[in-house]
Amino acid sequence: VTRVASLALVSSACDVVSSAYTCTKQSHPCVRSVCDAAEKGLRTLTAAAASGAQPLLTRLEPQISTANELACKGLDKLEEKLPILQQPPERVTS
């Protein structure tokens, strides 16, 4: 996930979505209230899920590690075949 998020095109897309979300929240008070409540709920759920899932994650660590290695190898091949993924978005659009 970290490697995919660090790809220039993915990172740029995330920045655009984040900026649009922030701008929308700031522009519309009703939307801001709903988003703030949703964010608070997600933080609570994430904390509960993280602590509850820890024993399972510990048991599945070898399988998760193997899946991560396979995903990284696949990403290596994808980056090799599509070097455009490493290009800045401005260059891709031009």
Side-chain angles (χ1 to χ4, degrees), residues 7 11-12 24 36 42 55 64 70 75 89:
L7 292 171
S11 177
S12 177
T24 302
D36 287 344
L42 281 173
I64 293 170
L70 291 172
L75 186 55

Side-chain angles (χ1 to χ4, degrees), residues 14-38:
C14 290
D15 289 345
V16 167
V17 170
S18 177
S19 177
Y21 176 77
T22 300
C23 182
T24 302
K25 265 181 71 171
Q26 292 173 348
S27 300
H28 305 284
C30 292
V31 172
R32 182 182 322 130
S33 298
V34 171
C35 290
D36 287 344

Side-chain angles (χ1 to χ4, degrees), residues 23-78:
C23 182
T24 302
K25 265 181 71 171
Q26 292 173 348
S27 300
H28 305 284
C30 292
V31 172
R32 182 182 322 130
S33 298
V34 171
C35 290
D36 287 344
E39 290 171 14
K40 183 178 179 184
L42 281 173
R43 280 191 296 275
T44 302
L45 287 172
T46 300
S51 65
Q54 192 56 51
L56 179 62
L57 292 174
T58 301
R59 280 188 37 218
L60 294 177
E61 196 281 325
Q63 292 85 351
I64 293 170
S65 180
T66 300
N68 184 57
E69 288 177 29
L70 291 172
C72 286
K73 287 178 184 177
L75 186 55
D76 288 341
K77 288 180 182 178
L78 188 63

